[in-house]
Amino acid sequence: MAARVWQSVKGYVMISMDGLGLERVLNEAMRAGIRFGDVRRESRARLTARLYVRDFYALRKVCRKRRVRIRILEKHSIPLRLWGRLAPKALIWGWVPVLLLLLVASRFVWFVRVEGCYRVTQEEVLLLLEQQDVKPGTPVGELEHAAISRAVMAGDERIAWAGVRRAGVILTVRIVEAEPGAPEETEQKAYNLWAAEDGVILSITATDGEAMVRAGDAVRKGELLISGAGGEAEGIVIARVSRQATATQEPGAQGLVPSGVWVEKCRVFLWGWEIFPLEAGYDGWVFQRERTRYIRALLPIEVAAGRLMQMEEGTVQLERGEMERRARLRAQAALLAEIPESARIVSSTIKIDYDEDGNAVAIAVIQTEEDIGAPG
Amino acid sequence: MAKRKRRHRITETLDLPLEVFPDTGKATLLSRSCLVLENHGGVLEYAAGLVRVITPDGIARVTGENLALRVLDAEKIEISGALASLEFEE
């Protein structure tokens, strides 16, 4: 009786075996540890039997060798029967919590994107937004688009305009950087204007002297642009200038590494928040999980056991994403330092590559429109 | 055969049941409808009216009607149905 109940819980199949020499197959299967039940002879070349599902797969291998055909006639198990009865209801009622969850989740911002960054980095804008409590997880109802725009504009003088748009759970902040101011007037008299950078002339206006190049001309650094012809030379020469900078990031970098001092700890979390906070004295220590158990009976409680490690300065191995981020930032910073304040950035691209030593190499290219006339 | 005789002598001398030897063949009849054969060596023949099983004491020949193997594994065979006879072939 108990065996039958256990069989129903585990699940069993009724099978038929067709072929000759079935006794030999039965003996071979028994030696392989297969247990049969209710074996009945239906005809000379056919018998039926009851098997555990697990044994069915083992028997299949034996039958294949002996050229005996095996077929499932019926499948039985309590989980299967229950599923057959409960599945339709479970499917219907399953949608209710899913829809509720979607409804609740849609009332928060989960992604924050920043567009239009050239001189101002995305990280800087995200920091400004965080100061306004705008970050992933912020309730939609707490967002005041106009106030956020004003705060972003006020937070950095390089940002001329900021617009905030929300589409579902995505908040997009578009910024327009301030146009560069007019170049400072110099009192110094110039007899000629020379090209300060390589570039392609977009426009040239000679207020004094004679223009030596025309719009569309490619000029090299040091080339004469406006000649004073013995007198003074003055004018504005706007050209498109392309600059490139390369920065390399090694896999190892200075950072915090375990000092070797650690204590065993068991911590309890509910939805990622720690229920019993750590006692004082562990500021800056890092928790490394070793075992995690989930108690999902009522609430998603997570019990994590592991080591709480003291950290100190040392060399850390960076992941590829972090290496690329650092290389990108350094290349961009190097380029921005070269670009004059009055230049207007028209495009910015960064490519990441790896050299044979495994270092991340960022190649940043920025195109600007700027006055390249240098007096001399 | 000699082994069987030796075992028989030991169990008789010490007044022990034969089952103390784990590989001894054992046949248990439960009413007329169920026969359990333990420590068998495999099924030689199986049909609705006849089952022949290898045992340590020879080939057990079970006859009857609508014979089914209720349990069949490496240790025991439980034969059910309308049992008519159990014989041993040498």
Side-chain angles (χ1 to χ4, degrees):
Chain A
M1 170 74 178
R4 288 299 295 264
V5 172
W6 182 236
Q7 230 172 22
S8 294
V9 171
K10 278 184 78 176
Y12 66 92
V13 286
M14 291 299 297
I15 57 147
S16 71
M17 292 163 69
D18 295 276
L20 295 172
L22 293 174
E23 288 87 351
R24 219 179 309 165
V25 176
L26 288 177
N27 291 334
E28 207 170 310
M30 277 190 292
R31 279 196 292 275
I34 296 170
R35 185 188 166 95
F36 293 90
D38 289 336
V39 182
R40 283 178 195 281
R41 176 67 81 172
E42 301 292 330
S43 67
R44 202 174 143 265
R46 181 188 172 92
L47 56 78
T48 58
R50 196 181 66 236
L51 277 180
Y52 281 126
V53 177
R54 185 193 56 207
D55 286 344
F56 171 75
Y57 294 108
L59 180 65
R60 210 161 53 170
K61 285 181 195 166
V62 178
C63 288
R64 237 177 251 153
K65 274 192 281 180
R66 292 279 172 199
R67 293 189 180 178
V68 167
R69 202 166 148 236
I70 177 172
R71 208 150 49 92
I72 293 177
L73 302 175
E74 293 166 27
K75 294 175 188 173
H76 296 270
S77 83
I78 290 175
L80 265 178
R81 285 191 181 197
L82 282 176
W83 179 246
R85 284 176 184 274
L86 297 177
K89 285 177 190 168
L91 278 174
I92 292 166
W93 288 105
W95 278 109
V96 175
V98 170
L99 286 174
L100 277 174
L101 201 67
L102 278 176
L103 196 71
V104 171
S106 67
R107 306 312 300 156
F108 294 85
V109 166
W110 295 111
F111 302 96
V112 180
R113 288 182 184 159
V114 182
E115 293 175 352
C117 289
Y118 292 113
R119 282 171 189 277
V120 185
T121 61
Q122 288 193 355
E123 282 81 2
E124 286 172 316
V125 179
L126 288 173
L127 200 69
L128 284 173
L129 291 170
E130 261 190 52
Q131 286 166 2
Q132 301 301 312
D133 279 336
V134 179
K135 55 193 170 193
T138 305
V140 168
E142 288 179 15
L143 294 176
E144 284 184 42
H145 294 194
I148 296 167
S149 302
R150 279 197 301 273
V152 170
M153 283 189 282
D156 196 318
E157 60 183 14
R158 294 171 297 171
I159 300 171
W161 176 86
V164 179
R165 182 164 46 88
R166 185 180 64 83
V169 296
I170 302 169
L171 187 79
T172 307
V173 178
R174 175 152 187 81
I175 64 161
V176 176
E177 293 182 0
E179 284 289 325
E184 284 177 19
E185 293 288 330
T186 52
E187 290 299 315
Q188 188 192 348
K189 286 184 179 176
Y191 298 103
N192 291 307
L193 281 183
W194 307 88
E197 298 286 344
D198 295 350
V200 177
I201 304 294
L202 296 175
S203 67
I204 180 163
T205 311
T207 48
D208 269 328
E210 187 189 345
M212 304 303 287
V213 291
R214 290 183 299 178
D217 286 356
V219 295
R220 308 285 299 178
K221 186 178 179 179
E223 206 174 316
L224 183 60
L225 301 175
I226 298 174
S227 167
E232 285 184 22
E234 199 180 331
I236 296 170
V237 186
I238 303 294
R240 176 158 292 181
V241 178
S242 186
R243 286 184 179 83
Q244 182 175 313
T246 306
T248 306
Q249 176 62 51
E250 293 168 358
Q254 279 297 107
L256 291 173
V257 291
S259 68
V261 179
W262 54 269
V263 285
E264 293 273 359
K265 280 277 170 194
C266 189
R267 304 173 78 179
V268 185
F269 300 91
L270 174 64
W271 279 308
W273 282 290
E274 190 163 16
I275 297 176
F276 309 109
L278 285 171
E279 54 266 38
Y282 290 115
D283 289 342
W285 290 46
V286 171
F287 184 63
Q288 188 185 38
R289 286 162 192 256
E290 285 174 353
R291 295 180 305 281
T292 305
R293 289 203 173 181
Y294 296 94
I295 304 165
R296 292 202 175 102
L298 195 62
L299 293 168
I301 292 173
E302 189 186 345
V303 182
R307 290 176 175 185
L308 196 60
M309 298 184 294
Q310 190 187 42
M311 306 300 276
E312 62 178 15
E313 280 291 327
T315 307
V316 287
Q317 287 298 311
L318 301 175
E319 288 180 3
R320 283 174 79 98
E322 181 58 20
M323 279 169 67
E324 290 172 10
R325 193 185 72 84
R326 288 187 184 203
R328 197 180 291 126
L329 280 176
R330 281 165 57 184
Q332 207 171 17
L335 261 189
L336 289 173
E338 278 181 26
I339 296 170
E341 283 290 312
S342 58
R344 189 169 77 87
I345 296 170
V346 288
S347 76
S348 167
T349 56
I350 301 180
K351 273 187 191 170
I352 298 284
D353 209 347
Y354 283 86
D355 62 16
E356 60 264 22
D357 297 326
N359 302 325
V361 181
I363 303 158
V365 178
I366 291 183
Q367 284 199 329
T368 57
E369 286 176 6
E370 60 187 76
D371 186 357
I372 61 166
Chain B
M1 189 62 84
K3 189 179 173 186
R4 209 188 305 164
K5 277 185 181 170
R6 194 166 59 244
R7 279 185 179 182
H8 195 72
R9 211 168 42 238
I10 293 168
T11 50
E12 273 207 339
T13 312
L14 299 173
D15 195 20
L16 290 170
L18 260 173
E19 289 162 75
V20 294
F21 297 103
D23 57 343
T24 309
K26 186 177 172 185
T28 313
L29 186 65
L30 303 163
S31 79
R32 263 193 73 175
S33 60
C34 184
L35 173 69
V36 182
L37 296 171
E38 289 171 67
N39 293 326
H40 66 90
V43 181
L44 261 186
E45 192 180 344
Y46 170 50
L50 170 73
V51 182
R52 287 171 73 220
V53 180
I54 301 167
T55 71
D57 302 300
I59 296 165
R61 182 189 169 89
V62 182
T63 56
E65 282 175 32
N66 297 325
L67 297 180
L69 309 178
R70 274 178 61 86
V71 177
L72 178 64
D73 62 25
E75 283 166 16
K76 71 172 181 180
I77 297 177
E78 200 177 306
I79 302 167
S80 66
L83 300 174
S85 69
L86 166 65
E87 295 165 32
F88 282 93
E89 300 171 13
E90 284 300 328

